[in-house]
Amino acid sequence: CSPQDSSMNATGVRMMTRSRSRGPGAGPRGRREKAAALQRGEAAAEGRKSHSPARRQRKTQKLNVAYEASDHQEGEDTRSLTAPSWEPRDWQQQLLNIRIMRSGKDAPVDWLGAEHCYDSSAPPKVRRYQVLLSLMLSSQTKDQVTAGAMQRLRARGLTVDSILQTDDSTLGTLIYPVGFWRNKVKYIKQTSAILQQRYGGDIPASVAELVALPGVGPKMAHLAMAVAWGTVSGIAVDTHVHRIANRLGWTRTATKSPEKTRAALEEWLPRELWSEINGLLVGFGQQTCLPVHPRCQGCLNRTLCPAARGL
């Protein structure tokens, strides 16, 4: 071939070689297509990851689904939506029986309890202090004895300042013969000093602060919240409520202390009854359900209990 033909053939070879070396993505359009292909490849890889065996295993786990029961359908799955709460058998009838027997409101607690021992004409802060003091005196003491001690104290002007200015011997004479009167003299003085220093002569407005005071227990604290502050903070359980609740089977198991009885009662007793139950059962325990009842020998035979049987 001629030199010219050889030159053209070489040029063509070079052009073809250059074109092949640049490949399909060498130009602008090719670069876009290559980028799109890479994106499709990454998406496919992500899809393969999302369908890995571990993910499939979690996805195929059995799910237990419960539905609300219709008016004509009940089943095991539907009942599991609401956990059944324990409550004693026939407690509503027993409560009604006790209310009937207590309808006269003539037990000592009804006219000598903490809500009747304070001076209603005193300032609110003084009234609340007197309520707390009457509760401190009432421990292990009959209501009649507590009321007598409160009358003697009020005759001298019962305030935080007056108690702190009274010597221990005089205070002991005034509150005697309440139970453990020597210890109560000490507790009353200590608590009154704390009330003056920390609360301006008033009483705390929480159970936690009340039980932190010397000589104040949980029953006193809940009653103080109800009588002094008008707040239902819990069930006040004394020896009467503790005894009757166990005799009637109002606790899931027998309880060994009033505080355990309180916790057991608060688990099932409707909250709207909490404020009523103390006075109701205390009066029932003072008049009918005595520590050792002559008829039922401590309610060992529940068929003889007037609260447990129908009236």
Side-chain angles (χ1 to χ4, degrees):
C1 58
S2 64
Q4 185 177 0
D5 293 337
S6 300
S7 175
M8 291 179 62
N9 289 338
T11 304
V13 171
R14 286 195 298 271
M15 291 177 63
M16 290 178 64
T17 303
R18 189 180 298 116
S19 174
R20 288 173 182 169
S21 65
R22 292 173 67 183
R29 181 177 178 182
R31 285 194 296 271
R32 286 195 297 270
E33 291 176 354
K34 184 176 181 180
L38 287 173
Q39 291 177 356
R40 287 194 298 271
E42 291 173 357
E46 289 295 328
R48 286 193 297 272
K49 291 180 182 178
S50 65
H51 291 84
S52 62
R55 180 61 60 88
R56 283 199 300 272
Q57 184 178 0
R58 289 195 297 269
K59 190 173 182 180
T60 57
Q61 286 179 353
K62 184 179 179 181
L63 298 176
N64 295 323
V65 180
Y67 301 90
E68 290 186 358
S70 63
D71 294 337
H72 306 287
Q73 179 183 0
E74 272 191 31
E76 182 176 353
D77 290 339
T78 58
R79 286 195 299 271
S80 64
L81 282 172
T82 55
S85 59
W86 179 89
E87 62 180 28
R89 187 185 64 180
D90 300 330
W91 72 269
Q92 292 176 319
Q93 183 61 49
Q94 294 169 358
L95 180 65
L96 178 61
N97 293 343
I98 296 173
R99 282 173 173 165
I100 293 173
M101 287 183 281
R102 292 276 290 113
S103 59
K105 297 292 183 182
D106 53 356
V109 69
D110 296 317
W111 44 282
L112 295 174
E115 62 270 25
H116 303 289
C117 287
Y118 63 85
D119 182 4
S120 58
S121 63
K125 184 166 63 174
V126 175
R127 293 201 302 265
R128 289 191 287 267
Y129 173 69
Q130 292 181 0
V131 168
L132 180 61
L133 212 64
S134 69
L135 291 170
M136 295 176 68
L137 294 173
S138 68
S139 176
Q140 303 292 317
T141 305
K142 292 183 177 181
D143 289 332
Q144 298 90 324
V145 177
T146 301
M150 286 296 296
Q151 287 179 353
R152 292 189 293 273
L153 290 171
R154 285 172 50 189
R156 294 171 58 92
L158 182 53
T159 64
V160 171
D161 292 335
S162 68
I163 289 295
L164 292 176
Q165 293 170 8
T166 303
D167 61 84
D168 292 359
S169 177
T170 302
L171 182 57
T173 301
L174 291 171
I175 69 173
Y176 181 84
V178 300
F180 305 100
W181 62 272
R182 290 185 178 86
N183 287 334
K184 290 178 181 179
V185 167
K186 177 178 63 177
Y187 294 148
I188 289 172
K189 282 293 193 71
Q190 292 174 348
T191 291
S192 299
I194 293 173
L195 297 181
Q196 186 186 61
Q197 295 167 6
R198 300 182 186 176
Y199 301 97
D202 208 341
I203 71 172
S206 72
V207 171
E209 291 176 294
L210 284 167
V211 297
L213 297 172
V216 178
K219 180 208 77 171
M220 304 176 203
H222 289 300
L223 283 175
M225 291 296 296
V227 178
W229 293 109
T231 300
V232 179
S233 57
I235 300 175
V237 177
D238 67 348
T239 56
H240 295 291
V241 179
H242 171 62
R243 178 178 72 252
I244 295 168
N246 276 275
R247 286 182 178 179
L248 293 178
W250 282 12
T251 58
R252 191 189 297 263
T253 58
T255 53
K256 301 298 183 182
S257 68
E259 263 301 275
K260 291 186 181 297
T261 299
R262 180 189 63 79
L265 289 174
E266 290 180 358
E267 285 183 356
W268 65 268
L269 189 68
R271 193 177 181 89
E272 58 268 21
L273 299 176
W274 288 10
S275 60
E276 175 192 11
I277 206 68
N278 175 266
L280 190 70
L281 294 188
V282 168
F284 183 59
Q286 289 175 338
Q287 293 180 312
T288 306
C289 190
L290 305 176
V292 180
H293 198 281
R295 288 179 54 198
C296 62
Q297 297 179 356
C299 290
L300 296 178
N301 185 355
R302 293 180 72 251
T303 59
L304 296 177
C305 178
R309 61 178 172 81
L311 294 177

